[in-house]
């Protein structure tokens, strides 16, 4: 499926969401379910879904492992930031970030300063996330060293928490239950930052 097409869907069930929200952004570590939940959520509310990794791969014509191998992580992060800026130009879109995107200050500023953008942290303990990743057939260069991956998780966790307006604990939830939890919480959350 091409996740990067911007078809400008008209929201089917806009009443489910506050009218001022035009982008829902899912953040969290690898294995959090950002892409799976994002697709289901977008389908539920009649919005587009965009996966930042796929968007980046399409823009560069290279896979994520190729980008790491050819350019190194620092350049990967620069490319990821430009892909994020482009992605945030879309409305009525559920955007699944890559797990490392919020570590960059530029990206956090982009997310915080793009109007009508609501960020949700899908949280789970590191062992749960690591096990989920091991069951997936996705090449993730930063998971090659599990000890370093756990350190990244520890470093990033407070960043995800601070960035997001809403945190959902997903360890004991199915993807469908997580979507319900997100929609319920969204309707109970005040949407103004002031
Ligand atoms: C990364 C997470 C990946 C991808 C890249 C780096 C990270 O995205 O962006 O492999 O640093 O956590 P997912 O979180 O979608 O796996």
């Amino acid at each position: 499926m091409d996740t990067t097409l911007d078809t400008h869907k008209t929201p089917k069930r806009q009443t489910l969401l506050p009218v001022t929200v035009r982008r829902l952004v899912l953040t969290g570590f690898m294995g959090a379910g950002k892409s799976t939940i994002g697709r289901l959520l977008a389908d539920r509310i009649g919005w587009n879904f965009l996966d930042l990794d796929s968007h980046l791969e399409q823009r560069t014509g290279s896979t994520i492992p190729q980008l790491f191998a050819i350019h190194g992580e620092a350049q990967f992060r620069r490319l990821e930031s430009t892909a994020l800026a482009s992605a945030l130009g879309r409305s009525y879109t559920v955007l699944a970030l890559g797990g490392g995107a919020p570590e960059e200050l530029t990206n956090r500023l982009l997310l915080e300063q793009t109007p009508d953008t609501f960020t949700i942290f899908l949280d789970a303990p590191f062992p749960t996330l690591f096990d989920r990743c091991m069951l997936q057939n996705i090449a993730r260069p930063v998971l090659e060293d599990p000890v370093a991956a756990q350190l990244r998780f520890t470093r990033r966790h407070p960043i995800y928490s601070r960035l997001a307006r809403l945190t959902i604990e997903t360890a004991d939830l199915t993807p469908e239950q997580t979507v319900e939890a997100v929609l319920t919480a969204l309707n109970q959350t005040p949407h103004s930052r002031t």
Side-chain angles (χ1 to χ4, degrees):
M1 183 176 75
D2 184 350
T3 53
T4 65
L5 285 180
D6 189 7
T7 51
H8 298 289
K9 281 185 192 173
T10 305
K12 278 188 288 201
R13 300 181 60 184
Q14 181 69 20
T15 48
L16 273 173
L17 294 176
V19 285
T20 53
V21 177
R22 287 192 296 151
R23 278 166 288 273
L24 288 174
V25 178
L26 300 183
T27 191
F29 202 67
M30 293 164 278
K34 302 179 293 291
S35 305
T36 305
I37 307 302
R39 278 194 188 87
L40 289 171
L41 182 59
D43 198 46
R44 270 293 296 277
I45 59 178
W47 284 15
N48 298 298
F49 171 72
L50 185 64
D51 182 271
L52 186 62
D53 286 340
S54 306
H55 188 50
L56 175 53
E57 290 183 332
Q58 192 161 74
R59 284 164 62 88
T60 59
S62 302
T63 65
I64 301 292
Q66 283 168 346
L67 292 173
F68 269 83
I70 298 165
H71 303 291
E73 182 167 352
Q75 176 63 5
F76 167 81
R77 296 295 169 200
R78 283 190 279 276
L79 294 168
E80 187 180 44
S81 290
T82 58
L84 177 62
S86 143
L88 287 172
R90 302 178 184 211
S91 292
Y92 304 115
T93 295
V94 178
L95 172 65
L97 296 181
E103 269 201 288
E104 302 298 314
L105 176 62
T106 311
N107 297 344
R108 296 200 296 278
L109 292 174
L110 276 171
L111 288 160
E112 284 167 352
Q113 291 175 4
T114 303
D116 309 331
T117 302
F118 191 98
T119 300
I120 300 163
F121 173 24
L122 301 179
D123 194 13
F126 180 77
T128 305
L129 297 165
F130 193 79
D131 288 353
R132 284 186 195 157
C133 289
M134 292 302 105
L135 294 172
Q136 295 170 343
N137 190 22
I138 301 174
R140 288 175 165 117
V142 300
L143 270 189
E144 278 162 17
D145 177 347
V147 175
Q150 176 140 28
L151 288 174
R152 282 184 195 258
F153 173 81
T154 306
R155 191 172 69 222
R156 289 176 184 174
H157 195 276
I159 297 175
Y160 298 137
S161 292
R162 275 200 303 272
L163 180 65
R165 304 277 310 280
L166 177 67
T167 295
I168 303 285
E169 306 287 341
T170 69
D172 299 324
L173 302 180
T174 63
E176 289 75 15
Q177 288 170 332
T178 304
V179 170
E180 287 307 324
V182 166
L183 290 172
T184 303
L186 271 175
N187 282 302
Q188 291 167 353
T189 305
H191 298 283
S192 161
R193 274 208 174 267
T194 54

